[in-house]
Amino acid sequence: MTSSSSPPHDVLSNLARLVSATLRDKVVLEQCDVISALQSQLESTRVVTVTGYNGSPVLARGSLKEGVFDDEVNDEEGDVGTLWCVGLRSTIDEERHDDVDNTNTVPMNQLAYIEIRIGGILYATSEDIEGTKLALGIRKGNIFDTTTHHNTTTTTTDGTNQPRDMNRSVVVEFNCGQTKTAYLTFHLTDFPKGDWRSLRSLNMHNRSIAIRNEEYHEQQQHQQQQERGLVEFFGDNNDENHHYNNNDNNDILDLQQQQPNHEENDDDEPSIESMDMYHYITERLAIQHPNQRVILTSVSFNVGSVRDAVAGIGGRGNEFEIEKERYLR
């Protein structure tokens, strides 16, 4: 009579395979969890945020991995510097789905003090903004500044990018050092037309004052350097040539008398100080226009300051790899 049950060694063999498969699946799942955690950590280091004091509240966020290169002229001297531009999406209205009109906007008064952070690490604050170098409605803008598809929480019915003009745009420059520069773009889309014209005129006049003051101080420094050089040159003689030194001292006096005396010519010294236009907009105008909201569209970094992060971005095709080779070499 033949038994229908499997031999003991077959049962043990099947059980061993089952245990082995279970352990293997457990290891695979644990490895997947570790990989997922590492990917999450990597993504968090690429998050760009515009925040209030000490990182709170978060006003807008974007991601370095979704940025684009831009080598447009980025200052009034015409210097071309490669930027890595990151699109921003407001976080203020994420929970207010009923507030359609204010979607992706931030109250203007909340920009009085802001911080830019990458991966939670402070990159720049509004104290680093060049208050006399604001560009009002004159910059070309990058793809995030000029199309709505990248920045709004809603999309058009056909999914296409909708153009946004730069007529009410404000571009501010953060100067944190030679290799750490950033530009923040925001829009005052519904700002009154007359007030906007007055604001632009004031900004241009303020910039001209700042340039004139800079030129004056540069001339002052140059004159002081010349005077120090003359004193050091003629002052090297020792007491053995005392009579010669006296003649040199007379020559110094003659040269100094020929130089313009800025202490006596008060008209040469600037009598008007330039103002910080950024704080004028975010503080004074914010009081005059308490309901004014802005759209934060992009923050652009000097590519050298985010080189390693950009170099590590992958999965965007051969064209992007060619761009990386071009801009990061």
Side-chain angles (χ1 to χ4, degrees):
M1 181 176 177
T2 305
S3 175
S4 60
S5 60
S6 301
H9 64 84
D10 289 341
V11 174
L12 292 176
S13 178
N14 292 335
L15 182 60
R17 285 197 293 269
L18 177 62
V19 172
S20 176
T22 301
L23 292 175
R24 184 171 60 252
D25 291 344
K26 181 180 180 181
V27 171
V28 171
L29 290 174
E30 289 176 348
Q31 290 177 340
C32 289
D33 290 340
V34 171
I35 293 173
S36 178
L38 291 174
Q39 288 178 336
S40 178
Q41 291 178 11
L42 177 61
E43 291 302 317
S44 66
T45 64
R46 294 172 173 172
V47 174
V48 176
T49 54
V50 179
T51 75
Y53 179 74
N54 203 24
S56 179
V58 177
L59 305 178
R61 66 163 55 95
S63 175
L64 285 177
K65 74 173 185 177
E66 298 173 357
V68 296
F69 288 107
D70 185 7
D71 57 3
E72 288 291 333
V73 175
N74 57 53
D75 63 23
E76 60 188 19
E77 285 78 22
D79 294 335
V80 177
T82 301
L83 302 174
W84 183 251
C85 306
V86 177
L88 296 174
R89 185 188 300 275
S90 171
T91 60
I92 294 294
D93 298 305
E94 286 182 347
E95 303 300 326
R96 300 168 59 186
H97 301 292
D98 58 326
D99 191 9
V100 177
D101 293 336
N102 286 335
T103 299
N104 203 45
T105 64
V106 174
M108 186 164 68
N109 58 10
Q110 290 203 353
L111 300 186
Y113 177 87
I114 57 174
E115 298 175 350
I116 295 178
R117 293 174 174 268
I118 301 178
I121 299 175
L122 183 64
Y123 182 94
T125 76
S126 52
E127 295 178 354
D128 300 314
I129 291 176
E130 295 280 359
T132 60
K133 293 185 178 180
L134 272 64
L136 273 60
I138 60 175
R139 287 287 173 83
K140 178 181 178 181
N142 56 58
I143 188 173
F144 305 109
D145 300 328
T146 57
T147 56
T148 61
H149 179 71
H150 295 277
N151 305 95
T152 56
T153 55
T154 58
T155 57
T156 57
T157 54
D158 58 0
T160 59
N161 294 348
Q162 294 298 308
R164 174 191 287 120
D165 61 51
M166 296 286 287
N167 293 336
R168 295 285 200 283
S169 66
V170 179
V171 181
V172 298
E173 176 182 347
F174 296 78
N175 188 358
C176 316
Q178 188 173 3
T179 59
K180 284 187 67 178
T181 303
Y183 297 87
L184 176 70
T185 303
F186 60 89
H187 299 255
L188 305 176
T189 53
D190 56 349
F191 199 69
K193 187 175 182 179
D195 292 347
W196 176 255
R197 287 180 177 175
S198 299
L199 180 60
R200 288 193 62 184
S201 298
L202 177 61
N203 184 59
M204 288 187 289
H205 179 65
N206 184 66
R207 183 57 189 150
S208 66
I209 292 175
I211 292 174
R212 187 166 66 249
N213 290 352
E214 289 173 4
E215 291 175 348
Y216 170 79
H217 292 303
E218 287 177 358
Q219 291 174 356
Q220 287 288 88
Q221 292 177 355
H222 181 66
Q223 179 187 347
Q224 292 172 1
Q225 290 174 355
Q226 286 183 322
E227 292 175 351
R228 282 197 299 268
L230 288 172
V231 171
E232 291 174 359
F233 176 76
F234 290 110
D236 286 339
N237 298 296
N238 53 39
D239 293 336
E240 295 180 358
N241 296 317
H242 181 69
H243 178 70
Y244 181 71
N245 284 340
N246 286 337
N247 291 334
D248 288 341
N249 289 334
N250 291 332
D251 291 338
I252 295 175
L253 291 174
D254 291 340
L255 288 171
Q256 289 177 341
Q257 290 173 358
Q258 295 175 16
Q259 298 293 329
N261 189 337
H262 290 280
E263 293 182 357
E264 296 178 358
N265 298 305
D266 293 336
D267 293 340
D268 293 338
E269 185 173 358
S271 58
I272 302 177
E273 289 294 329
S274 57
M275 63 190 299
D276 187 328
M277 288 298 298
Y278 178 77
H279 287 101
Y280 175 81
I281 293 173
T282 59
E283 293 178 4
R284 184 170 176 178
L285 287 188
I287 295 175
Q288 297 177 3
H289 302 268
N291 297 321
Q292 181 64 49
R293 302 176 73 89
V294 304
I295 303 176
L296 298 167
T297 53
S298 77
V299 58
S300 303
F301 302 96
N302 180 304
V303 75
S305 64
V306 292
R307 179 181 299 274
D308 292 341
V310 175
I313 298 174
R316 291 179 54 172
N318 292 333
E319 185 176 347
F320 178 68
E321 294 300 320
I322 294 174
E323 282 190 326
K324 284 201 300 183
E325 178 66 21
R326 172 188 172 190
Y327 289 113
L328 302 181
R329 61 185 176 186

